Amino acid sequence: MRGVLRTLIRATAACWAAVAVYVGLTLPPPRVTLDSTMPATHALGGYHIHTLRSDGSGTVDNVAEAARRSGLQFLIFTDHGDATRVPDAPTYRHGVLCIDAVEISTREGHIVALGLNGSAPYPLAGAARDVIDDIHRLGGRAVLAHPDSPSAALRWTGQGQGFDGIEWLNGDSEWRDKSPWRLLATAARSVVRPSESIASLFSRPVRTLVRWDAADRQRPVFGLAALDAHARIGWSQTEEPRGPGVLQRPTYAAMFGTVAQVAVLDTAPSGDANRDAAAVLSAIVGGRSYSIVRAFGGPAALRFSGDRGAEHLRMGDRAPAGTGPMVFHAEIAGAPGAALALYADGRVISRGAGAITSTSATAGVYRIEASWPGASVPWIVSNPIVLTDDRVAPPRAPEPAAAEQRPIAITLPSWTIESEPSSAGQYRVDDERLRFDYRLGGGAPNGQYAALVVPVASDAGIDRVEATVRADRPMRMSLQVRMPAGRGGQRWRRSIYVDETPRLIAVRLQDFEPADAPTTRRPIVAPIETLLFVVDTVNSPPGRSGTVWISNVTLGIDRLR
């Protein structure tokens, strides 16, 4: 028996020795410390961080302390939520500027809301275009989170909803398409070189870079490298927020050593948290920032500009292409031999070592990338300078066409209330308007709704719904239509924003989305049998009660189509 035990111990020791040899032979290269210092106006920070307030494992204070040890100057926290929590005021913790943001789930994917001027008066959720509209109404900017994640549950599925920024790199997405064996090997190597091992999983996110360039050709869109740090591995990693944690790995410090976003400020940080947070956010949303994979090497400061006569452009700037050639210049301080490339619309047009000077008069999205030997992901990525094509006239807005209006009478017998059992509603005519008083059932969200409903005779088909709507508070409600059963009985919806000011709501049928079974079809002109004004828990909390006034309800049809 003792002989068997000794043999087992020797075999176990041999296995661990083999693992140690393998790990030692396959370790990624250590981070290179460059002979350089960062300018005082280049603030090094971490973006997209989760804490115990959602599905992370550390407190804000814990995370800030880890950031200080990692040499970061600012952090942007993005805990999951619906924006109804009042954002924490900017503050310095352990010498690190802490800025509060929120990651919001929409039907098409996740959106980070930066720079909100307060809490939302109702939960932000539902269609991405509505959430982005609400973020803008609250003074914020909307960033697409992990848009091309290998996880279908986290991948962006929207089309052109008007986002302001994009995560060109997301640390939480980079491991999701790797094999279990590679992840186990990386975990073993991370015991010795944590940040370098994590970065070894990174690869060039081609689809996301193409998506970024395409959006930037249409409007200003800034790019960010996202840590998406949780310091928690849950039982299920297919969705977010994450489930219960098992291990607090990879640590915040390990993630902070992988990649950072550098905000280029007009002046060095002052030490005043509110002032410095405003400067950092202004630089980020203005495109005056660049990303660096710290696990490869640093510190390294990128400078990228364009000059045309007396005209000087910085990262994030846009100018017409047709007024003469632009001279682009880029350099990396402290890395004279760094391989640089100037991209125009995703295509390399110039290369250099340590610096690039290149001239172009062609419209396009111009971006700098620096590469690191042996790495498949760029080492440094700039925000772009965009030359717009001023020779192409913007499309003219179509002239408003005459439409046949079909009013719906505000008479009591024709309108009814629909609700699920725990909710209720009532209505009456109030000064030639329908007054709709609703109350949603309490408890956890479970499909509570109350609706004001009217049958509609529109066999000839309609293409729009109009109404004047006012509410007792800012809110979102759902304007819905039901198609006749012979045409599939499909129910369609469109979220509308209402507040204390009466406003005309005009929604074309083609802008409605399916509310029941998913379908790629969209109605353009169609008969409907029922019109509904619905309050539900998509944008209202359970237990909420309130009042909505509705008048001038009409169905329209454009006879000039």
Side-chain angles (χ1 to χ4, degrees), residues 332-344:
I332 297 181
L340 297 185
L342 175 63
Y343 283 75

Side-chain angles (χ1 to χ4, degrees), residues 21 41 69 74 82 124 137 151 202 257 294 335 454 492 504:
V21 170
T41 54
R69 296 195 305 269
F74 71 86
D82 57 14
L124 303 193
R137 187 177 291 110
S151 169
F202 293 178
R294 303 181 73 204
V454 63
W492 299 81
L504 175 64

Side-chain angles (χ1 to χ4, degrees), residues 71-417:
L72 298 185
Q73 295 166 271
F74 71 86
L75 295 174
I76 298 179
F77 294 92
T78 57
D79 281 302
H80 296 278
D82 57 14
T84 55
R85 178 178 66 84
V86 178
D88 288 350
T91 183
Y92 273 98
R93 293 174 181 259
H94 304 286
V96 177
L97 177 63
C98 297
I99 302 171
D100 209 11
V102 59
E103 184 175 4
I104 302 168
S105 297
T106 78
R107 294 190 188 113
E108 291 86 353
H110 291 195
I111 294 173
V112 171
L114 291 179
L116 298 180
N117 57 22
S119 61
Y122 49 85
L124 303 193
R129 61 183 172 186
D130 301 323
V131 171
I132 292 174
D133 184 48
D134 289 336
I135 290 171
H136 291 166
R137 187 177 291 110
L138 291 166
R141 296 292 183 270
V143 184
L144 294 195
H146 39 73
D148 295 295
S149 172
S151 169
L154 300 176
R155 193 177 308 140
W156 179 255
T157 61
Q159 297 291 331
Q161 274 85 359
F163 54 88
D164 307 293
I166 187 170
E167 295 178 358
W168 75 266
L169 180 71
N170 180 281
D172 188 60
S173 295
E174 292 300 308
W175 63 266
R176 293 179 180 272
D177 57 352
K178 306 304 187 290
S179 69
W181 292 113
R182 184 173 178 186
L183 294 176
L184 284 172
T186 300
R189 298 184 192 107
S190 69
V191 175
V192 182
R193 292 182 186 150
S195 300
E196 295 91 334
S197 298
I198 295 168
S200 71
L201 297 173
F202 293 178
S203 56
R204 182 181 179 82
V206 176
R207 291 181 60 186
T208 309
L209 291 170
V210 169
R211 187 194 294 271
W212 182 15
D213 286 341
D216 226 329
R217 283 192 287 271
Q218 305 300 319
R219 64 187 187 280
V221 176
F222 58 89
L224 294 168
L227 293 165
D228 211 345
H230 298 76
R232 182 167 76 173
I233 298 175
W235 290 114
S236 173
Q237 299 297 319
T238 58
E239 297 183 6
E240 289 187 352
R242 298 188 177 195
V246 181
L247 296 174
Q248 294 185 9
R249 294 290 186 275
T251 65
Y252 290 107
M255 291 301 296
F256 293 156
T258 59
V259 65
Q261 195 69 23
V262 183
V264 181
L265 311 178
D266 294 330
T267 59
S270 65
D272 179 276
N274 288 321
R275 178 179 173 184
D276 293 344
V280 167
L281 290 176
S282 176
I284 285 175
V285 303
R288 300 188 302 278
S289 73
Y290 57 92
S291 311
I292 179 169
V293 180
R294 303 181 73 204
F296 298 158
L302 171 67
R303 293 180 174 87
F304 176 39
S305 60
D307 292 281
R308 182 169 51 192
E311 187 178 18
H312 179 75
L313 302 183
R314 301 184 296 172
M315 284 186 295
D317 287 342
R318 305 169 77 86
T323 57
M326 181 73 66
V327 180
F328 295 101
H329 180 72
E331 63 177 332
I332 297 181
L340 297 185
L342 175 63
Y343 283 75
D345 292 337
R347 178 175 54 89
V348 176
I349 63 170
S350 182
R351 295 186 184 274
I356 283 180
T357 298
S358 182
T359 302
S360 178
T362 305
V365 178
Y366 293 83
R367 180 168 39 79
I368 289 291
E369 290 187 13
S371 57
W372 192 267
S376 60
V377 69
W379 172 40
I380 295 177
V381 173
S382 77
N383 265 269
I385 294 172
V386 180
L387 297 184
T388 59
D389 192 348
D390 58 346
R391 296 170 301 175
V392 179
R396 294 182 58 186
E399 293 294 328
E404 175 185 323
Q405 298 291 328
R406 189 176 306 167
I408 297 177
I410 305 297
T411 55
L412 292 181
S414 58
W415 294 77
T416 58
I417 296 292

